[in-house]
Amino acid sequence: MMGQIAKIFGTPQLLARFALDSADYSTHMIRQIKENPILAIVMAEGLLECVQDPDTRDYLVLTEFVAVFIRRGEPIPHPFRAFAAGAITGKIAPRQRKGRPGSTLQRDFALWVATEIVAEQFVLPKYSNGSATRTTAAEIVAEVAEVPIDAVLHAIRKHKDFAPPILGAINTS
């Protein structure tokens, strides 16, 4: 049976576009951190480590982290104030990372969320192992996002064990 959200959007493509545009990794992680003290400690330790010598990826994560506090009008935690001031004035700049270019964390998260939502709301398989004859949620999301299907499958594999269920989606394949 098609979900209520699916009825509002009408097509899986429209729902996929909405999900891609509104998937916010930072807000989701902050919600999960507030619910899980152990995760909060691990994340805080990781962020504090990033502040010491941020590479390109660390810099992006830290600026987004600080921006969340600014947007909410909450005080920036003390260890991150110096970073925020340095980033704003340009005194702290990311050092170039060796190896792969910048993170695709936000993009992968959006692809995963969109696939979960489209699959659940339109009662579609998330992906196929080459044997399915029905269109899958991953194929729809890849088409709408204009990325290869492999990018969507990678995002699903990356997040299915890491990220808890979001927006009521069940986190299984």
Side-chain angles (χ1 to χ4, degrees), residues 18-79:
F18 175 78
L20 286 166
D21 290 344
S22 56
D24 182 357
Y25 184 78
S26 303
T27 301
H28 178 62
M29 285 309 297
I30 287 171
R31 184 171 60 245
Q32 296 305 319
I33 287 168
K34 285 181 177 178
E35 295 171 5
N36 184 337
I38 302 294
L39 179 59
I41 292 168
V42 170
M43 288 291 292
E45 288 173 349
L47 287 168
L48 288 170
E49 201 173 292
C50 292
V51 167
Q52 304 307 314
D53 184 25
D55 64 19
T56 309
R57 187 177 306 161
D58 298 339
Y59 188 87
L60 293 172
V61 169
L62 288 166
T63 54
E64 184 58 33
F65 175 76
V66 169
V68 168
F69 285 92
I70 293 170
R71 283 188 207 106
R72 293 178 176 197
E74 296 175 8
I76 299 169
H78 181 70

Side-chain angles (χ1 to χ4, degrees), residues 6 8 32 35 49 54 65 71 77 88 110 119 122 149 158-159 161 169:
I8 293 168
Q32 296 305 319
E35 295 171 5
E49 201 173 292
F65 175 76
R71 283 188 207 106
I88 290 169
F122 284 91
I149 186 70
K158 184 175 180 180
H159 284 88
D161 294 328

Side-chain angles (χ1 to χ4, degrees), residues 59-119:
Y59 188 87
L60 293 172
V61 169
L62 288 166
T63 54
E64 184 58 33
F65 175 76
V66 169
V68 168
F69 285 92
I70 293 170
R71 283 188 207 106
R72 293 178 176 197
E74 296 175 8
I76 299 169
H78 181 70
F80 304 101
R81 290 180 191 156
F83 168 79
I88 290 169
T89 61
K91 292 184 179 179
I92 295 178
R95 64 176 164 76
Q96 289 302 318
R97 185 180 182 89
K98 293 186 180 184
R100 292 180 58 197
S103 173
T104 58
L105 192 62
Q106 178 68 38
R107 182 201 72 170
D108 288 349
F109 180 76
L111 293 171
W112 173 72
V113 167
T115 303
E116 289 284 332
I117 292 171
V118 169

Side-chain angles (χ1 to χ4, degrees), residues 8-19:
I8 293 168
F9 283 92
T11 68
Q13 289 80 3
L14 283 175
L15 181 57
R17 171 53 44 215
F18 175 78

Side-chain angles (χ1 to χ4, degrees), residues 110-160:
L111 293 171
W112 173 72
V113 167
T115 303
E116 289 284 332
I117 292 171
V118 169
E120 180 181 292
Q121 292 298 314
F122 284 91
V123 193
L124 294 172
K126 290 180 190 165
Y127 55 88
S128 75
N129 293 328
S131 59
T133 55
R134 293 177 60 195
T135 302
T136 66
E139 291 168 338
I140 291 168
V141 170
E143 177 187 327
V144 170
E146 299 177 351
V147 298
I149 186 70
D150 289 344
V152 178
L153 296 175
H154 170 75
I156 292 168
R157 282 191 301 275
K158 184 175 180 180
H159 284 88
K160 78 176 189 178

